[in-house]
Amino acid sequence: SVQQPNGVLMKMPLLTSTWEGSNKLASVMILSNVILAVGVVIAVGKLVTDHEVTRIVPPHLTKAVSVGWESADQEYLESFGSYVATLTANITPKNVDFVIARLSGLVTPRVYTNVRQQLLVLSKNPVFKHNGGSVRFDPSKVVSEKETEKVFILGQMTTQSIGGKDTKNYVIEMKVVMRDGRPWVDSLDHYEGSDPHTLTWIEKNPVLAQEARRRQAESAATQADQILKQQAAESVSIQPLNTTKEVAQ
C-alpha cells in the first residue's frame, strides 16, 4: 500500500495559518505605506505653500512688525496706506507723471487704470497746469479695520489755484491686501469729513452711509465723463497728415 505523507498533512494547518497571516501582514503594510505617502504629500504641500514670516522695522515705525506671504501686522498696513495717501494726494503739475509711474507698483491693475486716468485729466486741466494749481494732503491720524482690510487716513486737503486756496478735512480710504508677500491697494476712495466709514460707523449711520454711496457713484460717473471728454478732445487735436499728392493737370 502507498504510504501517506503524514508529516506534510500534519503541517498543512500551520502552513495555511502562516499564509493567511502573511496576507494580513501585507495588507497592513500596504495600508501603512498609503498613509505614509499621504502624509509625505501633505508635508511637501505645506512646505511649498508656507512662506517665512519676516520681521522688519519700516520707516516711520519704532518697532518691528511681522510680514508674511498673505498677511501682515496692522501697523505695517497702516504705514503703507499712509505712504500711498501722501503720494496720491500731493499733486503738482511737475510731479504728476512721477506719481502715475510710482502708483503702477503700489495698486492693483483695476485700481491703477482709474486712478491713472483721473490724474491725467487733472494734469491736462489748463487751470491746474498753467496757473499754479496744486493739491496737498496733510495726514493727522490713521485708522485700520482688520475685518474689511481697510486703512483710513484722516487729514486736511488743500486745493490751491490762481484764485486762492481751500482747505477741508478729508478721509482717504483704501483696501490694502497682501499678495505674494507684497502690499497692494485694491480699492481707493476719498471723501470730505473727519469720520472714517468703518463698519461701526455704517451700522450707526445707515442713512448717511447710503447717501455717501450715492455721492461716490455720482462722483465716479462724473470722473468717467471727464475722462471720456478728455480722450475725445485729444483725438480731435491729433489730425492725420495729408499724404495725398496733387496730380498735375
Side-chain angles (χ1 to χ4, degrees), residues 34-197:
V34 170
I35 295 174
L36 180 61
V38 172
V40 170
V41 170
I42 293 174
V44 171
K46 186 172 180 59
L47 287 175
V48 172
T49 56
D50 282 0
H51 299 272
E52 182 180 358
V53 175
T54 305
R55 293 188 63 80
I56 59 175
V57 182
H60 311 301
L61 290 182
T62 57
K63 66 176 184 177
V65 293
S66 298
V67 179
W69 202 245
E70 299 293 338
S71 63
D73 287 347
Q74 291 299 110
E75 292 85 355
Y76 177 75
L77 301 179
E78 290 176 0
S79 176
F80 178 77
S82 296
Y83 170 72
V84 174
T86 303
L87 178 68
T88 57
N90 286 274
I91 304 296
T92 69
K94 293 183 179 180
N95 76 350
V96 64
D97 291 332
F98 168 79
V99 172
I100 291 174
R102 290 292 299 162
L103 281 176
S104 62
L106 301 173
V107 303
T108 57
R110 69 184 186 93
V111 176
Y112 178 70
T113 300
N114 186 39
V115 174
R116 177 180 178 274
Q117 289 293 343
Q118 292 180 32
L119 291 177
L120 285 175
V121 169
L122 177 63
S123 68
K124 295 175 181 178
N125 185 307
V127 176
F128 178 82
K129 188 174 183 180
H130 302 294
N131 295 323
S134 66
V135 180
R136 190 182 79 248
F137 181 73
D138 298 311
S140 58
K141 185 179 180 181
V142 182
V143 178
S144 62
E145 190 173 57
K146 190 174 183 179
E147 296 82 357
T148 59
E149 300 180 306
K150 288 186 176 181
V151 176
F152 307 87
I153 300 90
L154 289 67
Q156 287 189 327
M157 187 174 294
T158 301
T159 304
Q160 185 167 346
S161 64
I162 194 172
K165 64 179 181 180
D166 182 35
T167 301
K168 295 181 179 178
N169 292 327
Y170 262 86
V171 178
I172 298 179
E173 174 186 315
M174 65 186 73
K175 181 178 181 180
V176 182
V177 297
M178 293 293 297
R179 294 178 181 173
D180 300 332
R182 288 187 56 187
W184 293 90
V185 174
D186 197 40
S187 71
L188 183 61
D189 192 15
H190 67 280
Y191 40 85
E192 188 177 341
S194 302
D195 296 318
H197 294 178

